[in-house]
Amino acid sequence: MKFSTKAIRSGQEPEAEFGSVIPPIYQTSTYVQKSPGEYNGYDYTRAGNPNFTNLEKTLASLEEASFATVFSSGLGALTGLVSILVAGDKVVAVDDIYGGTYRLFTKIFNKFGINLELIDMQDLDKVEQSLSQKTKMVIIESPTNPLLKVIDIKKVTGLAKKYKVLSVVDNTFASPYFQNPIALGADIVWHSTTKYISGHSDAIGGVIITNDKKIKEQMDFARMALGLNPSPFDTWLTSKSLKTLAVRMDQHQKNAFAVANFFASHPKVKKVYYPGLSSHKNYEVAKTQMKGYSGIVTVDFNLSLNEVKKLISSFKIFLLAESLGGVESLVNHPGIMTHASIPKEEREKKGISDSLVRFSIGIEDTDDLLEDLKATLER
Ligand SMILES: *Cc1c(COP(=O)(O)O)cnc(C)c1O
């Protein structure tokens, strides 16, 4: 089956008793046992639930992999993953990693002896050097947030294999529709399903996807032992949303191209970041490993901080909010909002200036979005 068919049918069998086309929400904490220890797959929802299993089957098939384990959130999934490491292990990650990932390693896991090293993954010599030094796990994020750097997944995971380092790709920004990291050589795909996969800004969730049966067992164990389970309702909502992922992503991309092209020729714009533009510095890598360029556009304006603040608070359609990947267009100031935990000096070194704005382009009418941007900038 192809993508959209799998998104609609994989793991989503009609319910057997009444033929309900949509699987019901199994909103239960526990399950009746026939005799002590004898039960039909599920004993307690922290350990498992049919709604988790349904969503796991869909997500694994969309990433062309065998196994998935869903979690309470993207960071819940990362917590489960890191629980397979031991004190003294080193993790290498891309230098502009998602802020929450950075915070989890530097405020929590470091207390348990797990060390994080951030490197520029565009420099493959640096990657090889880091991977050869007792590294257990490498975390690639591509495209990155908010500068949309694209990392060569095939090359970095190839080096990881050479040094027997577990490779993980945070595929949240591309979604499984536009990028399949396991096919590019990754051991593990990680998503915050909160973003494009849920797509309607109404559920929080995460997933770890792999072809390795042992890792799948470790993830199921971690979820149960650490209490990292999602709710049956959130996983049901996510399954419902996933059915329209393909049509949503096509429209996100169509609108994002229109917005990126609009900004590219606007006099108040210093620089536009969108991996689908041939002017993007990683365009060639993006073109070979992605099937599309998703819906995030980042813009560096020719405006003062106060002007930028005024601009992004004045749109009619673009809502000023954190998060991304929903049907509604959002605008975010990384320096003040999503990336505020990074010290200003370090932020500016990375290119996250006070005039940088990240747009999550929704699936509204293209003309309405362009008109909102144009009119607000004029005002
Ligand atoms: C949101 C996000 C996460 C964390 O996911 P939560 O569901 O918010 O815990 C991780 N990585 C990326 C790239 C994200 O955008």
Side-chain angles (χ1 to χ4, degrees), residues 7 13 60 63 72 96 103 110 138 150 180 199 270 280 284-286 322-323 379:
E13 285 310 308
E63 285 287 9
S72 52
D96 55 350
R103 184 177 53 213
N110 66 335
V138 55
V150 178
N180 297 121
K270 250 188 277 182
H280 190 280
E284 291 302 324
V285 184
E322 297 194 4
S323 199
R379 272 211 308 278

Side-chain angles (χ1 to χ4, degrees), residues 2-16:
K2 301 242 170 51
F3 193 92
S4 288
T5 318
K6 289 194 285 190
I8 292 166
R9 294 296 301 277
S10 289
Q12 303 293 320
E13 285 310 308
E15 169 270 336

Side-chain angles (χ1 to χ4, degrees), residues 98-379:
Y98 174 72
T101 305
Y102 179 77
R103 184 177 53 213
L104 191 47
F105 275 101
T106 54
K107 299 263 193 233
I108 307 283
F109 299 145
N110 66 335
K111 294 190 290 181
F112 299 90
I114 292 165
N115 306 304
L116 178 73
E117 187 196 0
L118 299 181
I119 57 164
D120 175 4
M121 287 199 182
Q122 322 222 22
D123 182 342
L124 291 170
D125 290 336
K126 241 184 227 168
V127 174
E128 178 146 20
Q129 214 177 32
S130 294
L131 294 189
S132 63
Q133 295 165 351
K134 290 194 179 166
T135 301
K136 282 286 153 58
M137 184 182 284
V138 55
I139 303 180
I140 303 164
E141 195 178 308
S142 184
T144 63
N145 178 21
L147 293 172
L148 306 167
K149 271 200 257 174
V150 178
I151 310 300
D152 192 325
I153 296 175
K154 231 183 213 164
K155 290 214 173 114
V156 176
T157 56
L159 287 171
K161 273 197 181 69
K162 181 169 162 191
Y163 294 101
K164 300 195 164 50
V165 175
L166 205 59
S167 59
V168 182
V169 176
D170 182 341
N171 202 27
T172 301
F173 267 41
S175 90
Y177 184 62
F178 285 138
Q179 180 167 273
N180 297 121
I182 288 176
L184 296 166
D187 297 315
I188 290 164
V189 174
W190 165 37
H191 282 280
S192 165
T193 61
T194 312
K195 314 294 167 55
Y196 285 110
I197 287 174
S198 283
H200 296 73
S201 308
D202 56 4
I204 299 266
V207 65
I208 297 294
I209 301 168
T210 182
N211 277 329
D212 187 324
K213 188 152 194 271
K214 185 168 165 233
I215 293 172
K216 163 65 177 165
E217 285 163 3
Q218 288 174 317
M219 291 304 99
D220 285 351
F221 176 80
R223 179 175 66 193
M224 181 272 294
L226 288 161
L228 296 170
N229 58 286
S231 79
F233 182 49
D234 273 19
T235 43
W236 181 88
L237 274 176
T238 304
S239 285
K240 176 183 72 73
S241 298
L242 201 43
K243 293 171 197 281
T244 57
L245 185 64
V247 288
R248 284 189 283 113
M249 294 316 293
D250 282 335
Q251 183 70 14
H252 281 298
Q253 172 170 245
K254 179 180 166 234
N255 284 348
F257 262 114
V259 167
N261 283 320
F262 165 76
F263 280 132
S265 61
H266 198 284
K268 285 288 174 198
V269 169
K270 250 188 277 182
K271 192 169 167 137
V272 180
Y273 299 86
Y274 184 61
L277 294 182
S278 57
S279 58
H280 190 280
K281 70 171 175 174
N282 307 125
Y283 174 66
E284 291 302 324
V285 184
K287 206 168 60 169
T288 54
Q289 71 186 16
M290 302 178 80
K291 295 167 209 155
Y293 307 98
S294 218
I296 310 296
V297 178
T298 299
V299 179
D300 201 352
F301 284 100
N302 240 329
L303 298 170
S304 68
L305 175 60
N306 273 340
E307 288 170 326
V308 166
K309 277 200 212 164
K310 196 163 174 202
L311 172 72
I312 64 178
S313 313
S314 312
F315 293 119
K316 288 211 173 78
I317 298 176
F318 285 84
L319 300 169
L320 182 63
E322 297 194 4
S323 199
L324 57 106
V327 293
E328 59 285 294
S329 290
L330 303 180
V331 59
N332 158 58
H333 189 283
I336 301 173
M337 297 162 70
T338 47
H339 291 63
S341 58
I342 308 172
K344 185 174 158 78
E345 210 173 277
E346 223 174 290
R347 235 191 294 137
E348 302 217 315
K349 247 195 286 171
K350 290 175 198 278
I352 307 175
S353 66
D354 277 349
S355 47
L356 195 81
V357 173
R358 185 190 75 195
F359 293 86
S360 174
I361 312 298
I363 66 170
E364 302 93 338
D365 186 274
T366 317
D367 294 339
D368 287 340
L369 294 181
L370 293 178
E371 181 53 31
D372 191 26
L373 296 173
K374 193 163 162 263
T376 312
L377 269 160
E378 261 163 35
R379 272 211 308 278

